[in-house]
Amino acid sequence: MGERGRGCCPSMDLMRSEPMQLVQLIIPIESAHLAVSYLGDLGLIQFKDLNAEKSPFQRTYAIQIKRSGEMARKLRFFRDQMSKAGLVTGARSQVEAIANLDDLEVKLGDLEAELVEINANGDKLQRSYNELAEYKLVLQNAGKFFHSALSSAEARQREYSANQGGEESLEIPLLSEQETTADSSKQVRLGFITGLVPREKSMAFERILFRATRGNVFLRQVSVDEPVVDPVSGDKVEKNVFAVFFSGERAKNKILKICDAFGANRYSFSEDISKQSQMITEVSRRLSELKTTLDAGLVQRGNLLQTIGEHFEHWNILVRKEKAIYHTLNMLSMDVTKKCLVAEGWSPIFATKQIQDALHQATLDCNTQVEAIFQVLRTREMPPTYFRTNKFTTAFQEIVDAYGVAKYQEANPGVFTIVTFPFLFAVMFGDWGHGICLLLATLFFIVREKKLSSQKLGDITEMAFGGRYVIVLMSIFSIYTGLIYNEFFSVPFELFGPSAYVCRDATCSEASTIGLIKGRDTYPFGVDPVWHGSRSELPFLNSLKMKMSILLGVAQMNLGIILSYFNALFFKNSINTWFQFVPQMIFLNSLFGYLSLLIIVKWCTGSQADLYHVMIYMFLSPTDELGENQLFAGQKPLQMVLLLLALVSVPWMLLPKPFLLKKQHEVCNFKLSYVIFLLIIRHQGEAYAPLPDTDESLQSGTNHNGGGHGHEEFEFSEVFVHQLIHTIEFVLGAVSNTASYLRLWALSLAHSELSIVFYEKVLLLAWGYDNIFILIIGIIIFICATVGVLLVMETLSAFLHALRLHWVEFQNKFYEGDGYKFYPFSFSVLDAEEE
Amino acid sequence: MGFLVTTLIFIVVGIIASLCARICFNRGPSANLLQLTLVITTTVCCWMMWAIVYLAQMNPLIVPILNESE
C-alpha cells in the first residue's frame, strides 16, 4: 500500500502524510522490557492492542502495573506532603540515580512508612499540645470565676454577718437562718464542670443546659480573645471558657452528654487556689517541653521531605515510564511458546532503521542470545496519518486537524493554509498600524519563546503563544494589506507618490459637486489616498472590495479543485480525474470564472456594463442581445457556450462515475474468482504452496476500487445516491461558497469603518477642544478602544471567518479528512500529558 | 509605473525570495519544494491583491467627490 502512487509528483514536506507500515516485532520475553523502553525513547511506533478482549486484570503484567500504580500513589502522597510543607520539587535529580525499580520500590515504601510515622507522631503531639493549651486557658479563666465568686460570697457573708450582728429586727425571717444552714449542707454536694465551648454554639449550649436541668444550673462563660486550635479537628476556632455549677448526679450526667454533643472539651479543675497555681506552672512546663519536641519533629520531617524533593522528579519520571512500559507490554500478545512477546504496530517507513537499532541495542544490553525479530506485515487496514511538523508548521497543521485529520496520504490543505489563512485574515484586517501593533505583541512571544515554553501559562496566553507563528504571519500580511488599503489607524498616507486625481479647473469649484478628475497615472500601490473622507469613498470601496472578494474566492476554490486533481493523480484514480475534477473545473469556471473575467474586463475597459444584468440574463434568456451591456466582441456566443458547458457538466459529474465504479467492481470480482480458480488448480497440483504473487495481484486489483471497499458488497443505489448528493452539493455550493467569500468584503468594511469612528469621533474630537486633559482622556479612550475592539475582538472575528473560509469553502473541494492521527508510544509525549 | 512594470517587480521579488529561501534554508529537496510553494503562493496572493486594487482604479467610473467642508 505504501508504494502506491509514488512518483506522480515530486515529494513535498507536509503535502502527504508519512508513508507508514504495519510492523510485527517478536521480542524475547527477557529483553522485552528494555526493548519497549528504548522504543518509548524513540517514540516512532504506535502499538496496537492485541489483547483488546482481555480485561485489565487478565493481562500479563497486571501485577507490575499495580505495583507501579502503588509507587505513583506514594509519589503523589509525597508531592502533597511537600506542597503542604511549602517545598518546591527541585530539578536536581542527578544526585544519585536509582536505576533499579525494585530498589526504588523498597525505598519508596520505607520513606512512606517513615513519613507516615512522623506525621502520626506529630499529630499526636500536636493534639496533646492543643489540649494542654486549652487546659491552660481553662485554668486561667475559670480561676477568675472562682476568685470573683469567692470574693462576692465573702462580701455577702460579711454583709450578712453585719446584718445579723447589727439589729435583731423582727423583719428578718426565721427561715433565712434555716436556709443558710441548709445551703451549707448542700454546698458540699455542689459539683462543677469546666471546659471550652465554640463561641457560635455557646448561646445554644447555655439554653439547652438550662432546659435540660430545668434551670437548676449556674453557667458562667468568658470569651477567649484569640482563636484556639481545636485538638480534635485542628482548626482555629473562637471559643468560650465556661464553668457549669450543678447539683446532683443526674444533672451531671445530663450536662456531660450535652457537653459531648456540643463538642465542648472538659477539663478537670481544682478549687484549691494553691493547687491551681501549681497546675498552671506544671501545664506551662509541659507545654514548652511539647513545643520543643514538636519543633524537633517538624525539622526532622522537613529534612525528610527535602531529601525526597531532591530525588522526586527523577523518581516520578522513572515510575511514569515504568507504568507506561507495562501498559504497552500488556498490549503485546504472548507467543505460544511463552518465550516471546509479539507486538504489532504502525511506524513510519523512515523509522525502520531506528527501530531495528533500538531492538538490537536492547538485545545487547540484556545479554540475550535471541535477537528480536522485526518484520513488515502487509495489511489492507488504513494506516494512521502522521505529519512531521516543526514549531512553525505545527500551529497551521492544528488548524486543519481541528476540522478533521487527513486521510492517509491525502493532499494536506495545511500546505496552502500556511499562506492563505493569514492572507485571508489580512484581507479582513487590513490596517498597517494595527498590523504593526499585532506584530510587536507577537514578537514579544517569539523573542521570549524559550523562557515561555518552559513555564505554565494561562489559558488564553497559552493559546496565543501556541499560535504565535500564525499570528506573526497574520500581522505581516495585515501590514501588507494595510498598505494596499492605505490605512494607518484609518489615516491614509501618500507613501507612493501624489494622488492621481486633480481638480477639473484652477478654482477647484466643482471638487465637491461633480468631483475631481483623474489627471495623473493611476496611484501605483494601493488605494488612492484622495478617496479617504470623500463623499464617494464608500461606493468606490464597496464595489472594489466586493469584486475583490469574488476574485479571491474563485481563485481559492480553483486551487481546492486542483488539489483534488493531485489527489486523483496520487491515488491513480482516473475516474475522479475525468468525472469529478474536469466537470467541476468547467462548472465553476464557466459561471464564476466567467464572472471574474467580466470583472477584470470591465475594469480594464472602463465599460459601464451592468454585470448583474449580464449574469442574470445569461441564464434567463441567453439568446437576447446584450446591447449596452456588451463588454467585448463575441460575448454572446461565448456565454452560450459557457452555459452549455455548465449544463453539460452537471450530468457529467452525476452519471458516469457510479456506472464506472460498478463496472470496475464487476471486473474485480471476476479477477477474484479467477484467482480462486487458479488457487484450486495449483492446490490440486502441489499442495499448500505459498502464492505471494497471486496474492499481490489480488490486492492491487481490489485497491483500485475507490480505495478501501475491498470485497464488500457493491450497493449500486447507495453509490448513486452518494454521487447525487455530492453533485448537488457541488452545484449549489459553487453559488453559496462564492457568496460566502463576500464576508471578506463585509469584515474589511466593518474594520475600516470602526477604526475611522475611533479616530475621528474620539481622537480628533478630543484634539478639537484644545484642552490638555480632554486630549489625554481622548487618547486613553482611543487606545483602549483600539486595543479592545480592533486588536482583540476584530482579530478574533477575522480569525474565525478566515477559519471558516478554509474549513468549508476551500477544504470541501478536495479534503476528506476521515483519517486518524498517529499516536506513537513516546516518553516525551507522556511527560507533556501528565503536566 | 504601469501594470506590467509592477508585475515584473513582483515576479523579481518572488524569484529573489525563493532563491533566498533556497540558500538560507536548504534542507533537502522535499523541504525546499515546500518553501518554494509557500513563497510562490505568497507572491501570487500579494500580487493579486495589488493587481485588483490597481485595475479597479485604472479607468474610474466613480471619481472622488470631496466633502463641502474640505
Side-chain angles (χ1 to χ4, degrees):
Chain A
M1 214 157 170
E3 310 87 65
R4 205 152 51 107
R6 302 269 94 196
C8 81
C9 18
S11 75
M12 191 201 291
D13 269 11
L14 210 63
M15 185 63 169
R16 310 271 169 201
S17 65
E18 291 295 326
M20 308 294 274
Q21 59 191 1
L22 184 66
V23 296
Q24 190 179 46
L25 311 176
I26 303 174
I27 314 169
I29 209 156
E30 54 269 32
S31 68
H33 183 273
L34 200 64
V36 170
S37 157
Y38 285 161
L39 289 177
D41 287 331
L42 188 64
L44 280 172
I45 185 161
Q46 177 182 356
F47 287 99
K48 278 171 118 183
D49 193 353
L50 300 178
N51 301 320
E53 77 282 357
K54 283 190 188 166
S55 77
F57 307 106
Q58 292 172 326
R59 297 187 182 211
T60 326
Y61 293 95
I63 302 162
Q64 282 88 338
I65 286 192
K66 222 166 95 189
R67 270 173 60 194
S68 37
E70 183 66 19
M71 284 197 266
R73 184 196 61 75
K74 280 172 191 159
L75 285 172
R76 273 201 304 278
F77 171 68
F78 292 152
R79 197 208 309 254
D80 288 349
Q81 291 291 320
M82 279 190 286
S83 65
K84 257 188 206 164
L87 278 172
V88 235
T89 58
R92 303 174 289 163
S93 56
Q94 50 273 61
V95 187
E96 139 202 38
I98 301 181
N100 194 338
L101 257 293
D102 298 328
D103 292 353
L104 180 60
E105 195 181 8
V106 173
K107 180 141 194 178
L108 286 183
D110 291 350
L111 283 173
E112 196 202 14
E114 196 179 338
L115 192 58
V116 165
E117 197 187 329
I118 290 177
N119 282 351
N121 285 341
D123 284 351
K124 219 187 280 171
L125 284 175
Q126 189 68 46
R127 190 177 167 147
S128 46
Y129 178 80
N130 290 340
E131 273 173 5
L132 276 177
E134 284 201 337
Y135 191 22
K136 192 175 170 188
L137 278 173
V138 170
L139 284 175
Q140 282 166 350
N141 288 301
K144 280 181 210 153
F145 298 153
F146 282 87
H147 195 69
S148 64
L150 199 69
S151 55
S152 68
E154 271 172 359
R156 211 176 291 161
Q157 192 80 38
R158 236 178 284 132
E159 200 179 305
Y160 180 73
S161 57
N163 275 353
Q164 270 202 329
E167 42 203 272
E168 292 275 344
S169 167
L170 279 171
E171 284 143 33
I172 295 167
L174 289 168
L175 204 67
S176 80
E177 203 166 334
Q178 283 173 353
E179 254 187 343
T180 44
T181 49
D183 261 357
S184 63
S185 64
K186 259 183 194 167
Q187 209 143 20
V188 183
R189 274 177 281 139
L190 199 65
F192 64 88
I193 289 172
T194 50
L196 281 150
V197 67
R199 190 168 303 163
E200 67 230 27
K201 291 184 190 165
S202 62
M203 286 298 287
F205 181 62
E206 188 169 354
R207 213 171 295 141
I208 296 281
L209 275 179
F210 191 78
R211 283 185 196 158
T213 55
R214 298 166 198 243
N216 292 324
V217 70
F218 178 68
L219 179 75
R220 283 291 300 271
Q221 292 197 41
V222 65
S223 61
V224 183
D225 297 332
E226 290 187 356
V228 183
V229 182
D230 190 64
V232 181
S233 63
D235 297 332
K236 281 202 162 181
V237 189
E238 302 216 306
K239 287 194 169 183
N240 284 355
V241 172
F242 69 87
V244 202
F245 299 91
F246 56 86
S247 66
E249 200 59 28
R250 274 184 66 193
K252 186 181 179 184
N253 286 337
K254 273 183 191 164
I255 289 167
L256 288 179
K257 274 179 196 158
I258 291 166
C259 283
D260 285 344
F262 276 83
N265 303 319
R266 305 181 310 270
Y267 297 97
S268 65
F269 183 75
S270 137
E271 277 174 271
D272 194 351
I273 293 176
S274 62
K275 242 185 192 173
Q276 276 176 27
S277 59
Q278 194 188 334
M279 278 181 88
I280 287 184
T281 48
E282 168 76 14
V283 164
S284 306
R285 192 179 53 77
R286 279 185 59 199
L287 267 179
S288 64
E289 265 173 28
L290 271 178
K291 181 81 188 153
T292 46
T293 326
L294 264 178
D295 285 346
L298 275 180
V299 168
Q300 195 192 352
R301 181 165 175 268
N303 285 339
L304 187 67
L305 286 177
Q306 193 76 41
T307 41
I308 292 172
E310 277 167 16
H311 302 280
F312 183 80
E313 276 308 310
H314 176 67
W315 290 345
N316 201 18
I317 290 169
L318 215 61
V319 167
R320 255 191 269 156
K321 275 189 181 179
E322 193 66 8
K323 207 173 166 188
I325 288 172
Y326 281 119
H327 262 297
T328 309
L329 282 175
N330 265 343
M331 290 190 194
L332 315 189
S333 72
M334 188 69 83
D335 192 44
V336 275
T337 58
K338 297 260 176 195
K339 280 182 182 149
C340 289
L341 284 172
V342 180
E344 271 179 34
W346 293 105
S347 81
I349 286 176
F350 72 82
T352 310
K353 183 85 181 48
Q354 285 159 285
I355 291 172
Q356 280 170 337
D357 285 349
L359 291 176
H360 185 67
Q361 193 61 42
T363 320
L364 282 184
D365 292 352
C366 272
N367 291 322
T368 33
Q369 270 78 40
V370 198
E371 186 87 29
I373 299 167
F374 174 95
Q375 61 187 25
V376 179
L377 299 181
R378 297 188 63 93
T379 176
R380 297 165 41 70
E381 222 176 304
M382 182 72 81
T385 307
Y386 174 44
F387 290 109
R388 274 197 281 179
T389 52
N390 53 29
K391 67 179 177 184
F392 176 73
T393 49
T394 306
F396 293 98
Q397 190 57 46
E398 264 163 22
I399 289 177
V400 174
D401 284 348
Y403 174 80
V405 177
K407 200 172 79 179
Y408 177 63
Q409 297 235 300
E410 129 178 87
N412 179 12
V415 173
F416 291 98
T417 303
I418 294 176
V419 175
T420 54
F421 182 83
F423 176 69
L424 286 190
F425 168 87
V427 171
M428 295 180 262
F429 197 80
D431 189 312
W432 57 284
H434 299 152
I436 287 172
C437 293
L438 211 57
L439 184 66
L440 291 179
T442 344
L443 280 182
F444 169 78
F445 276 134
I446 289 181
V447 169
R448 314 190 65 188
E449 188 176 72
K450 283 224 173 75
K451 203 178 158 209
L452 287 173
S453 56
S454 59
Q455 70 194 52
K456 200 142 178 69
L457 302 165
D459 268 353
I460 293 174
T461 328
E462 178 91 59
M463 207 156 32
F465 180 71
R468 61 197 180 279
Y469 288 104
V470 182
I471 303 176
V472 159
L473 280 193
M474 279 169 12
S475 51
I476 291 172
F477 274 107
S478 309
I479 294 171
Y480 178 82
T481 52
L483 288 170
I484 293 267
Y485 289 151
N486 210 339
E487 286 186 8
F488 175 82
F489 295 107
S490 84
V491 185
F493 284 94
E494 293 199 352
L495 288 176
F496 303 95
S499 163
Y501 293 90
V502 289
C503 295
R504 283 167 200 261
D505 47 32
T507 56
C508 222
S509 56
E510 286 164 329
S512 54
T513 49
I514 314 169
L516 304 172
I517 194 167
K518 197 177 167 191
R520 302 195 192 94
D521 282 342
T522 312
Y523 194 69
F525 191 87
V527 175
D528 203 311
V530 79
W531 288 107
H532 182 80
S534 69
R535 279 196 285 159
S536 46
E537 181 191 9
L538 268 187
F540 170 72
L541 282 185
N542 280 347
S543 148
L544 166 66
K545 287 180 175 176
M546 179 170 67
K547 286 168 179 167
M548 179 164 68
S549 310
I550 289 174
L551 289 174
L552 294 178
V554 170
Q556 200 187 18
M557 287 191 289
N558 269 311
L559 178 65
I561 300 177
I562 289 171
L563 282 176
S564 86
Y565 168 69
F566 280 109
N567 264 342
L569 207 64
F570 186 84
F571 293 114
K572 296 212 170 60
N573 191 335
S574 57
I575 294 180
N576 274 357
T577 313
W578 291 107
F579 303 101
Q580 198 150 310
F581 163 70
V582 173
Q584 281 186 353
M585 259 335 236
I586 290 175
F587 184 84
L588 184 71
N589 286 313
S590 61
L591 299 183
F592 295 102
Y594 177 60
L595 175 62
S596 311
L597 181 79
L598 286 185
I599 289 172
I600 292 169
V601 170
K602 184 177 166 178
W603 278 341
C604 290
T605 57
S607 150
Q608 300 267 1
D610 183 1
L611 294 187
Y612 297 119
H613 193 273
V614 174
M615 284 310 287
I616 291 168
Y617 281 90
M618 177 175 164
F619 293 100
L620 290 184
S621 49
T623 50
D624 274 10
E625 283 301 325
L626 285 158
E628 61 178 10
N629 284 329
Q630 175 148 354
L631 281 149
F632 52 90
Q635 192 182 353
K636 202 181 92 179
L638 177 70
Q639 281 186 9
M640 284 166 72
V641 170
L642 287 176
L643 188 63
L644 215 63
L645 277 173
L647 289 180
V648 167
S649 61
V650 175
W652 188 356
M653 267 183 265
L654 173 64
L655 295 173
K657 197 180 160 189
F659 288 102
L660 283 168
L661 284 179
K662 190 180 176 205
K663 200 177 147 206
Q664 210 175 48
H665 185 80
E666 276 161 7
V667 169
C668 168
N669 267 354
F670 175 74
K671 263 191 192 168
L672 192 69
S673 42
Y674 176 70
V675 167
I676 291 170
F677 172 72
L678 271 184
L679 272 168
I680 293 166
I681 300 271
R682 282 226 207 158
H683 262 267
Q684 283 166 350
E686 35 182 306
Y688 305 114
L691 295 164
D693 51 333
T694 44
D695 195 46
E696 250 170 65
S697 73
L698 186 142
Q699 269 200 342
S700 61
T702 46
N703 277 345
H704 277 295
N705 190 3
H709 284 293
H711 303 289
E712 285 162 31
E713 202 57 40
F714 187 81
E715 203 53 72
F716 179 75
S717 59
E718 206 175 279
V719 174
F720 191 81
V721 168
H722 181 257
Q723 189 63 24
L724 185 71
I725 292 170
H726 203 78
T727 310
I728 293 175
E729 196 197 333
F730 181 82
V731 170
L732 295 183
V735 182
S736 66
N737 291 352
T738 312
S740 184
Y741 275 95
L742 291 177
R743 69 186 69 232
L744 293 175
W745 162 39
L747 268 107
S748 138
L749 188 73
H751 185 88
S752 71
E753 288 302 309
L754 270 176
S755 49
I756 287 175
V757 166
F758 290 144
Y759 177 72
E760 283 184 354
K761 300 294 173 207
V762 178
L763 205 59
L764 288 190
L765 202 69
W767 189 270
Y769 278 104
D770 220 9
N771 181 327
I772 189 82
F773 291 108
I774 295 178
L775 186 63
I776 288 173
I777 292 169
I779 288 175
I780 290 172
I781 295 176
F782 175 72
I783 289 174
C784 290
T786 303
V787 170
V789 177
L790 293 174
L791 289 181
V792 176
M793 307 247 292
E794 278 282 300
T795 306
L796 267 179
S797 77
F799 186 95
L800 288 179
H801 283 280
L803 202 62
R804 185 226 143 89
L805 285 179
H806 278 83
W807 279 355
V808 181
E809 275 73 28
F810 177 52
Q811 292 184 5
N812 76 358
K813 299 288 179 294
F814 66 100
Y815 190 56
E816 306 221 10
D818 56 353
Y820 64 102
K821 227 176 177 166
F822 176 58
Y823 281 113
F825 168 63
S826 163
F827 291 143
S828 55
V829 175
L830 195 79
D831 291 347
E833 267 172 15
E834 293 272 325
E835 282 310 312
Chain B
M1 267 198 301
F3 182 78
L4 289 177
V5 177
T6 317
T7 305
L8 208 68
I9 293 175
F10 268 98
I11 293 171
V12 169
V13 169
I15 290 172
I16 290 172
S18 38
L19 283 179
C20 285
R22 180 62 198 259
I23 292 163
C24 301
F25 307 101
N26 190 355
R27 299 219 179 89
S30 69
N32 288 341
L33 187 62
L34 173 68
Q35 285 157 10
L36 186 68
T37 314
L38 295 185
V39 170
I40 291 174
T41 321
T42 312
T43 317
V44 168
C45 283
C46 290
W47 172 80
M48 261 182 84
M49 184 93 185
W50 166 83
I52 287 165
V53 173
Y54 187 89
L55 288 178
Q57 298 180 97
M58 219 157 57
N59 296 302
L61 289 181
I62 339 169
V63 289
I65 306 168
L66 300 186
N67 264 322
E68 305 276 342
S69 55
E70 287 178 56

